[in-house]
Amino acid sequence: MKEVFKHQVYTTVPIQECLNATGRQPVGTRWVDVNKGDDLNPEYRSRLVAQELKKNSWADDLFAATPPLEAKKVLFSLAVTEGIGFKKGLKGKGLKIEFIDVRRAYFHAKARRDVYIELPNEDTSEGMCGKLIKSLYGTRDAALNWAQAYSEVLEKMGFTKGRSSPCSFYHAGWGIRTVVHGDDFLSEGPGENLKAMDTEMK
């Protein structure tokens, strides 16, 4: 809940506002616990999710692009190709590969439509519900909202979106190529420029 509050994921509003706007009760929420470790070394993560998705449902708002595997292979290939990724005898002058994993990615993406949720037990209030300000896992368009959010950030930084894959980006000034898969960024370029990208991303 500290992360939910920190990112201002929702604002509390009367349930009547939800009924007036949507004609329905707020979308249910629940906690999903995942063990990122193993049985001997458990590392549990809890995530608040909305229950807006239905099994086997399909619509355009569920789609968010993922990059082809070849896009990542190209970055690795360029990094190890002599004359491109490195020059013989100039060890420190080569290209670097960097991985960035954005924590709680969807909390960085604005909600782009009115979605009302049941308040979790830790923040419940009689006659009240939550109106999303940020995207919440389990809403239909959360992945699409996140894709729009990271695209806007990268393009503002000077990256150009790929023509064949909207998950591939290139920064001509920095010489950085980036492929985004979900909340994972794989980038390749000169080390000092990757540091500049890190600073701007933060």
Side-chain angles (χ1 to χ4, degrees):
M1 286 306 295
K2 285 181 186 175
E3 292 295 327
V4 171
F5 294 143
K6 181 175 99 175
H7 290 277
Q8 298 178 325
V9 175
Y10 60 80
T11 184
T12 305
V13 298
I15 291 176
Q16 191 59 50
E17 180 181 322
C18 169
L19 295 172
N20 293 343
T22 68
R24 293 189 295 271
Q25 289 291 324
V27 174
T29 56
R30 70 186 188 103
W31 288 99
V32 173
D33 298 323
V34 176
N35 183 4
K36 295 272 189 170
D38 55 35
D39 291 340
L40 294 176
N41 302 295
E43 185 183 342
Y44 283 97
R45 306 273 177 91
S46 296
R47 178 180 285 168
L48 180 66
V49 300
Q51 297 173 298
E52 192 177 29
L53 296 173
K54 291 183 178 159
K55 191 175 181 182
N56 300 322
S57 64
W58 174 257
D60 289 341
D61 62 351
L62 291 177
F63 176 78
T66 55
L69 179 59
E70 289 77 13
K72 292 183 177 184
K73 285 182 176 180
V74 166
L75 295 191
F76 289 120
S77 179
L78 289 172
V80 298
T81 300
E82 186 173 357
I84 299 174
F86 72 95
K87 292 180 174 59
K88 202 167 186 177
L90 298 172
K91 190 174 181 181
K93 297 292 183 183
L95 299 178
K96 309 283 188 225
I97 293 278
E98 178 178 68
F99 300 92
I100 298 175
D101 180 9
V102 178
R103 294 178 65 231
R104 294 173 182 84
Y106 290 1
F107 288 1
H108 297 280
K110 292 177 190 168
R112 297 178 188 263
R113 63 189 172 92
D114 290 342
V115 179
Y116 296 85
I117 60 166
E118 288 179 0
L119 294 172
N121 290 335
E122 295 81 1
D123 190 33
T124 191
S125 184
E126 186 70 32
M128 305 297 277
C129 66
K131 181 179 181 182
L132 292 184
I133 299 169
K134 302 287 180 65
S135 295
L136 187 65
Y137 294 89
T139 53
R140 295 182 64 83
D141 53 356
L144 182 60
N145 291 346
W146 165 240
Q148 290 176 331
Y150 73 68
S151 295
E152 288 168 7
V153 168
L154 290 174
E155 288 173 334
K156 189 175 179 185
M157 288 167 59
F159 282 86
T160 302
K161 189 184 289 190
R163 279 184 257 173
S164 60
S165 169
C167 307
S168 300
F169 297 84
Y170 178 64
H171 195 297
W174 287 344
I176 295 177
R177 291 172 176 84
T178 297
V179 175
V180 185
H181 189 177
D183 58 5
D184 296 318
F185 290 67
L186 171 64
S187 300
E188 175 247 22
E192 62 273 15
N193 295 346
L194 290 173
K195 286 179 185 173
M197 178 183 173
D198 283 353
T199 302
E200 290 225 21
M201 292 264 302
K202 286 174 184 170

